[in-house]
Amino acid sequence: MSFKFFDKLSQDFSELLNDKKESNVVIEVDKEKNKKSFALHSVVLRCRSTYFTKEFENTATNENHVKTIFKPNISTQIFEIILKYIYCGVVNIENIENEIIYELMIIANELEFEELSEKLENYLVESKAPWLRTHFSRIYHSIFDSIKCNEFKGLKQFYNDIIIKHPNVIFESEDFTSLQEAALISILEKDNLQLEEIKIWDYIIKWGIAQNPTFPRNLKEWSKENFKTLKTTLQNCLPLIRYFHISEKDIWEKLKPYRKILGMQLWDDLNQRLIFPNQPIQSLALPARIISNPELPQRVNELTSTIINDENMAEISSWIDRKSTIYSLENVPYKLQLILRGSKDGFQPKTFWDMCNGHVGTVVIVKVAGTDEILGGYNPLAWDNTKTSYTHMETNDSFIFSLKNGNIQNSILSRVENKSCALIYRNLDSQKTYGPEFGDCEFLLQSNVSDFTKDKLCWCVYGPEYSYYYEKSIRTTNEKFSILDYENDEKNTFSSLNASELETEELSDKFSSCLIEFIEFQSFLVKNSYYSFFDR
């Protein structure tokens, strides 16, 4: 039988933290006025982490036999928490900001306290998911900056699950081209990435070129060395493309200009597959990606919006999916999950940014005061209230609209035409005045009195004197307006009760598209002779 006295041992051990008599190490942390030094014990630090064993081996002692280590990247606040973990085995994160908890996890990982790092990582994923989504871009980039590829597996999986369902979050972000190669590869490896293969190809080429800023802008001016460099840059990405699931038209238009980076055998096999689809090929043909919707919410019959009806929702859903015809009410693939309603949560611009921050794939819907107008906009990107300056957001998939309602006889759809200013995100101070803003005031909610219902500053510009980033104006007047109510709803996908009908419709669309592409391709061969297609 043995008696264990861990509590007393831990208490006595913790007293060493304040005992400077036997200290033989000084660790200096933070910068400038926040700089602080801690007198510590090498034997304790070495027992707790192999990091310090390596540091001590590379650090000389002074005349007093004391080693000094400088860690300016660690704040005093975080290091004090780390010391309590080292000496006391206790970390209290109550009332600590999420930002500090995240930084603590990073530092714990750097100092090789795996137990602490993993504990904090699990806490963030399980308890702070909304905060992680809000700070998606910065955190996603930082966790892939690590040298060790097996670090932060939980966070990487958390973010990759988001990217699989909402690829535009990363591919359409303004800092996509600064993404670490390891992060990009982890995305490309996913069999269920919800994105067309040709779009993936486009993004990969964009990323590769961005890593080589000295390349000529005009592809026709590229040298053999340029193509060779691009091939080297993308050597770990190119094998992950599902080439044999790209249409004939896209192979000709998108891949052929870059055929020199594909290799002779792959290019030959692509051409052979087009002309002789049943003949075996030598290149590895990866399976098609699985386009599906895992963990979908169940369909409910009640629409959550108090502004639009089922017919409006069917129309908006069709626009999101770029359908040429409007979904039937039975086959609408989306439901709206309410994030904010003005009449419930208030009409302050700052409320919009606070409540919608981090939400992806949302529809803003507005009821205009004094008219029958229902206006809105679809944003496929994540709303972000952390911008430090006036920021143009780029996407090819946003649109603004006016819905048929009352005296309004026809709906108006206006897709983004110039993606360089699809949306505008404001800094913290401007968020007190500006709400959602599509294009250059082409759909804008604004108030100088912090209430969209009061001062008639909301605007959808109209007239030839204005520059447009969207196809057309969604109003026929340039007058500014106030609103009666508004919503921002997140788009969720149904687990359809009529899956077979939807699948049949999708298959029909795909077949029609493939047939058209095949006819165009055959026409091309007739006009040009298919031998030119093999030209390298």
Side-chain angles (χ1 to χ4, degrees):
M1 181 177 181
S2 61
F3 297 99
K4 298 180 181 180
F5 303 95
F6 290 134
D7 290 342
K8 184 67 168 68
L9 175 64
S10 177
Q11 181 180 345
D12 292 343
F13 198 74
S14 65
E15 292 178 4
L16 283 173
L17 184 56
N18 299 315
D19 186 352
K20 312 302 180 188
K21 293 179 181 178
E22 302 296 329
S23 64
N24 60 347
V25 174
V26 172
I27 297 183
E28 185 180 288
V29 300
D30 224 324
K31 302 172 184 175
E32 299 175 355
K33 63 180 181 179
N34 296 320
K35 189 182 297 182
K36 187 174 181 179
S37 296
F38 297 85
L40 305 168
H41 311 82
S42 63
V43 65
V44 175
L45 298 177
R46 284 192 290 105
C47 286
R48 295 290 275 155
S49 171
T50 57
Y51 172 86
F52 289 107
T53 300
K54 291 177 282 187
E55 281 291 305
F56 294 152
E57 289 175 354
N58 298 320
T59 305
T61 57
N62 62 14
E63 63 275 10
N64 296 319
H65 305 290
V66 174
K67 294 177 182 285
T68 301
I69 296 174
F70 300 95
K71 300 296 293 182
N73 64 308
I74 303 179
S75 71
T76 298
Q77 179 185 4
I78 286 177
F79 194 66
E80 287 175 342
I81 298 173
I82 291 282
L83 287 180
K84 287 185 178 179
Y85 167 74
I86 293 174
Y87 281 85
C88 311
V90 175
V91 174
N92 184 2
I93 58 174
E94 188 176 356
N95 299 323
I96 293 182
E97 296 178 2
N98 296 328
E99 179 79 21
I100 300 300
I101 296 174
Y102 171 74
E103 292 297 334
L104 178 60
M105 179 197 71
I106 296 294
I107 298 302
N109 178 268
E110 178 186 336
L111 300 180
E112 299 182 13
F113 294 116
E114 293 182 9
E115 174 191 43
L116 177 58
S117 177
E118 291 176 4
K119 192 73 173 179
L120 294 170
E121 180 184 10
N122 291 336
Y123 172 77
L124 289 171
V125 171
E126 294 170 5
S127 304
K128 300 297 179 181
W131 183 84
L132 290 175
R133 286 193 291 267
T134 299
H135 297 81
F136 177 96
S137 182
R138 181 175 68 87
I139 296 177
Y140 188 76
H141 281 71
S142 70
I143 60 178
F144 278 97
D145 283 340
S146 172
I147 297 174
K148 300 177 183 177
C149 62
N150 61 340
E151 292 175 338
F152 308 121
K153 289 182 179 179
L155 278 172
K156 289 175 181 177
Q157 184 62 47
F158 175 85
Y159 282 122
N160 279 341
D161 286 346
I162 293 176
I163 292 170
I164 285 170
K165 299 174 187 176
H166 307 286
N168 283 347
V169 170
I170 194 69
F171 287 114
E172 289 286 347
S173 66
E174 57 188 16
D175 50 4
F176 163 67
T177 54
S178 64
L179 194 66
Q180 291 290 319
E181 182 189 39
L184 186 58
I185 289 172
S186 75
I187 297 171
L188 298 178
E189 288 175 337
K190 301 299 180 183
D191 291 333
N192 54 346
L193 180 62
Q194 304 294 291
L195 196 62
E196 292 178 58
E197 205 64 33
I198 191 58
K199 289 186 177 180
I200 296 174
W201 167 264
D202 288 339
Y203 288 126
I204 296 308
I205 293 298
K206 176 182 177 182
W207 183 88
I209 292 175
Q211 311 313 305
N212 298 280
T214 60
F215 281 8
R217 290 191 175 185
N218 188 343
L219 188 63
K220 294 180 180 179
E221 297 175 5
W222 280 27
S223 65
K224 289 183 179 180
E225 195 61 35
N226 292 144
F227 284 104
K228 184 178 180 180
T229 301
L230 181 62
K231 183 176 182 178
T232 301
T233 301
L234 297 176
Q235 60 183 333
N236 296 319
C237 297
L238 293 175
L240 301 174
I241 301 294
R242 319 300 168 95
Y243 298 101
F244 296 94
H245 301 282
I246 297 177
S247 71
E248 296 94 330
K249 184 172 182 289
D250 286 330
I251 288 175
W252 174 253
E253 294 182 350
K254 299 291 186 71
L255 269 65
K256 186 175 184 290
Y258 295 95
R259 63 193 182 280
K260 292 178 182 178
I261 73 172
L262 297 178
M264 184 180 299
Q265 185 60 57
L266 176 57
W267 185 244
D268 282 347
D269 286 341
L270 281 170
N271 289 308
Q272 177 183 310
R273 177 63 64 89
L274 297 178
I275 307 302
F276 308 110
N278 297 322
Q279 293 294 318
I281 57 175
Q282 296 184 37
S283 301
L284 176 63
L286 295 175
R289 298 188 194 271
I290 303 167
I291 305 299
S292 61
N293 296 292
E295 300 178 13
L296 304 180
Q298 293 297 312
R299 178 182 288 270
V300 294
N301 293 325
E302 184 177 353
L303 186 68
T304 58
S305 174
T306 60
I307 299 178
I308 65 172
N309 56 33
D310 291 330
E311 288 78 9
N312 298 143
M313 187 59 214
E315 194 166 31
I316 294 171
S317 298
S318 303
W319 294 338
I320 291 173
D321 287 347
R322 296 181 180 271
K323 292 288 186 181
S324 56
T325 57
I326 298 174
Y327 282 118
S328 65
L329 297 185
E330 295 78 16
N331 287 336
V332 174
Y334 305 114
K335 70 182 288 289
L336 295 181
Q337 180 177 337
L338 183 68
I339 303 168
L340 171 149
R341 177 175 291 132
S343 54
K344 171 175 165 287
D345 302 301
F347 293 92
Q348 297 87 351
K350 190 67 174 66
T351 299
F352 171 86
W353 290 105
D354 289 343
M355 294 187 67
C356 301
N357 188 38
H359 286 279
V360 178
T362 58
V363 183
V364 181
I365 304 169
V366 168
K367 183 70 179 74
V368 178
T371 75
D372 289 328
E373 290 173 289
I374 297 175
L375 309 176
Y378 171 66
N379 178 13
L381 307 177
W383 296 103
D384 185 357
N385 67 1
T386 64
K387 298 296 184 185
T388 57
S389 61
Y390 177 96
T391 305
H392 287 191
M393 303 299 295
E394 294 188 4
T395 175
N396 289 314
D397 297 320
S398 62
F399 58 82
I400 55 178
F401 57 84
S402 171
L403 296 175
K404 178 173 62 176
N405 182 59
N407 293 326
I408 311 299
Q409 298 297 314
N410 298 298
S411 296
I412 299 174
L413 167 65
S414 180
R415 295 193 181 277
V416 65
E417 203 166 42
N418 182 347
K419 72 173 185 177
S420 65
C421 184
L423 292 103
I424 295 174
Y425 289 0
R426 300 277 180 162
N427 63 23
L428 190 63
D429 188 56
S430 295
Q431 289 169 18
K432 299 173 184 177
T433 303
Y434 294 90
E437 186 171 359
F438 291 74
D440 187 8
C441 300
E442 290 161 75
F443 174 47
L444 163 68
L445 297 189
Q446 179 183 354
S447 173
N448 288 340
V449 295
S450 196
D451 189 334
F452 295 135
T453 68
K454 298 296 184 185
D455 52 350
K456 292 188 176 182
L457 287 181
C458 301
W459 199 14
C460 298
V461 295
Y462 174 77
E465 65 271 27
Y466 297 103
S467 299
Y468 292 94
Y469 291 87
Y470 285 77
E471 294 172 330
K472 53 195 168 187
S473 176
I474 56 174
R475 300 190 80 206
T476 56
T477 173
N478 200 39
E479 292 184 5
K480 296 183 179 180
F481 57 91
S482 294
I483 67 174
L484 289 177
D485 204 357
Y486 88 113
E487 299 170 349
N488 194 28
D489 303 281
E490 193 163 41
K491 168 194 66 124
N492 281 333
T493 314
F494 284 126
S495 175
S496 179
L497 298 178
N498 297 296
S500 61
E501 292 181 19
L502 288 177
E503 288 171 2
T504 301
E505 180 182 352
E506 290 170 0
L507 286 172
S508 177
D509 288 345
K510 289 179 180 177
F511 177 77
S512 298
S513 175
C514 289
L515 183 60
I516 291 171
E517 290 176 356
F518 179 73
I519 292 171
E520 290 177 347
F521 179 65
Q522 292 294 329
S523 175
F524 170 83
L525 293 179
V526 170
K527 291 180 180 178
N528 299 277
S529 87
Y530 85 91
Y531 294 104
S532 64
F533 193 73
F534 291 89
D535 178 43
R536 296 188 181 90

